Amino acid sequence: MELHDVWFVLIAVLWTGYFFLEGFDFGVGVLTKLLARNRAERRVLINTIGPVWDGNEVWLLSAGGATFAAFPEWYATLFSGFYLPLLLILVCLIVRGVAFEYRHKRDEALWQSNWEHAIFWTSLLPALLWGVAFGNIVRGVKIDGDKEYVGTLFDLLNPYAILGGLVTLTLFTFHGAVFTALKTVGDIRVRARSLALKLGLVTAALALGFLGWTQVSRGDGTSLVAMIVAVVALVAAVVAIGRGREGWSFAWSGVTIVAAVAMLFLTLFPNVMPSSLQEEWSLTVTNASSSPYTLKIMTWCAGIATPLVLLYQGWTYWVFRKRIGTQHIADAH
């Protein structure tokens, strides 16, 4: 296997880790309006992800940085062609981080309510837009012979990509509801289970349509296996949450995300960004990659740094593993 193939796999792993981890905290952000009934319950939801949400975003930074260094042509075409959607995602992530930090700085109800609205919308929009972006990458976009995107914003708003956005939104919200049930106690835990069950059924219907569409249009034998794993895991997650097995349900919903992202990257390879104008204009792991020397240096750096990051992040989740409830929220909040 060539180094550019290795880095395609590594970038796929980074995006998978990002969607697995950031997926549930996007979902929790959406649930601050769908599940929480009062300010104390919203605080409970925010506290479940408070120690980990910023660490989860490290995976996005790593995926973006790895793409820039390993596949500069892919990075340039992607970020220029998808400039407005990616800018909106970036703004949402910035405002979301500020909202988490500033919400509790003042006791006024209006102040806290405004930041809570910000958390909701800046969680919902990225969860939707990431699916739209990856739907377009898999489907193919208008790339010319100079490796430049020549389409418009409206070209990105096609039925396949929009369905992909709805899948990521519902899947992340389901993932977040299961995580909430796993991390809370009391009435909010019971309601999170009930909501997760309903969300799981909607997600299953949308995911089956999107993954089936992907398989028919671009899939092969390996992508079919990944699709089957994703669908079976999602069904298992819904069944597990229906039986009150939050831990198993969270594990299965995680497998769903891993298998679904793996399917998308399997349908891409050896392309990294297909051209819908002419197949030979597509960006591939070969014509979009950096030099072998650059990839070699990157491989050594990643081999040293990645285990340390994984150990630290795993330790963080272990330290903050206990359940919380409204009884743990101070009266001032």
Side-chain angles (χ1 to χ4, degrees), residues 29-294:
V30 174
L31 292 175
T32 57
K33 292 296 183 183
L34 300 184
L35 180 65
R37 291 177 174 173
N38 51 51
R39 186 142 294 140
E41 290 190 351
R42 281 190 286 276
R43 188 61 187 174
V44 169
L45 292 177
I46 294 171
N47 283 1
T48 62
I49 59 174
V52 298
W53 68 267
D54 48 355
N56 294 343
E57 292 186 354
V58 170
W59 290 79
L60 173 61
L61 298 175
S62 300
T67 303
F68 172 77
F71 299 99
E73 294 285 356
W74 183 13
Y75 182 93
T77 304
L78 175 65
F79 278 77
S80 60
F82 292 22
Y83 181 81
L84 288 178
L86 293 179
L87 177 62
L88 180 56
I89 290 174
L90 178 61
V91 171
C92 284
L93 295 180
I94 293 172
V95 174
R96 188 169 182 263
V98 173
F100 283 135
E101 298 297 333
Y102 274 72
R103 176 195 173 278
H104 64 282
K105 296 297 184 181
R106 290 167 58 180
D107 295 332
E108 291 88 342
L110 181 61
W111 171 271
Q112 295 191 2
S113 177
N114 287 337
W115 287 120
E116 288 164 1
H117 283 298
I119 290 172
F120 171 75
W121 287 110
T122 56
S123 298
L124 185 148
L125 288 175
L128 175 69
L129 291 175
W130 279 128
V132 174
F134 271 83
N136 278 292
I137 292 174
V138 172
R139 175 180 177 268
V141 293
K142 294 180 178 180
I143 300 174
D144 65 11
D146 295 324
K147 301 177 183 177
E148 295 181 359
Y149 177 73
V150 294
T152 66
L153 176 63
F154 296 103
D155 292 325
L156 303 179
L157 302 177
N158 55 81
Y160 175 79
I162 292 173
L163 178 59
L166 293 176
V167 169
T168 53
L169 175 59
T170 55
L171 179 57
F172 291 169
T173 308
F174 168 71
H175 196 42
V178 174
F179 179 78
T180 300
L182 181 65
K183 287 286 293 177
T184 58
V185 294
D187 182 58
I188 193 170
R189 177 187 179 188
V190 175
R191 285 187 281 115
R193 282 184 191 169
S194 176
L195 181 58
L197 184 60
K198 297 173 184 176
L199 286 170
L201 296 175
V202 175
T203 303
L206 292 173
L208 184 60
F210 178 71
L211 296 180
W213 192 343
T214 305
Q215 178 62 30
V216 169
S217 60
R218 304 191 64 89
D220 56 16
T222 54
S223 63
L224 178 60
V225 172
M227 173 186 167
I228 293 173
V229 172
V231 172
V232 171
L234 182 55
V235 172
V238 174
V239 171
I241 197 64
R243 295 179 177 178
R245 305 294 297 273
E246 296 107 337
W248 280 107
S249 182
F250 185 73
W252 282 119
S253 66
V255 172
T256 302
I257 293 174
V258 170
V261 176
M263 180 188 179
L264 296 182
F265 276 92
L266 285 169
T267 59
L268 267 180
F269 188 81
N271 294 324
V272 294
M273 205 165 178
S275 172
S276 60
L277 299 178
Q278 291 193 39
E279 183 63 29
E280 59 268 24
W281 291 347
S282 297
L283 299 179
T284 68
V285 293
T286 304
N287 65 23
S289 69
S290 295
S291 67
Y293 182 73
T294 300

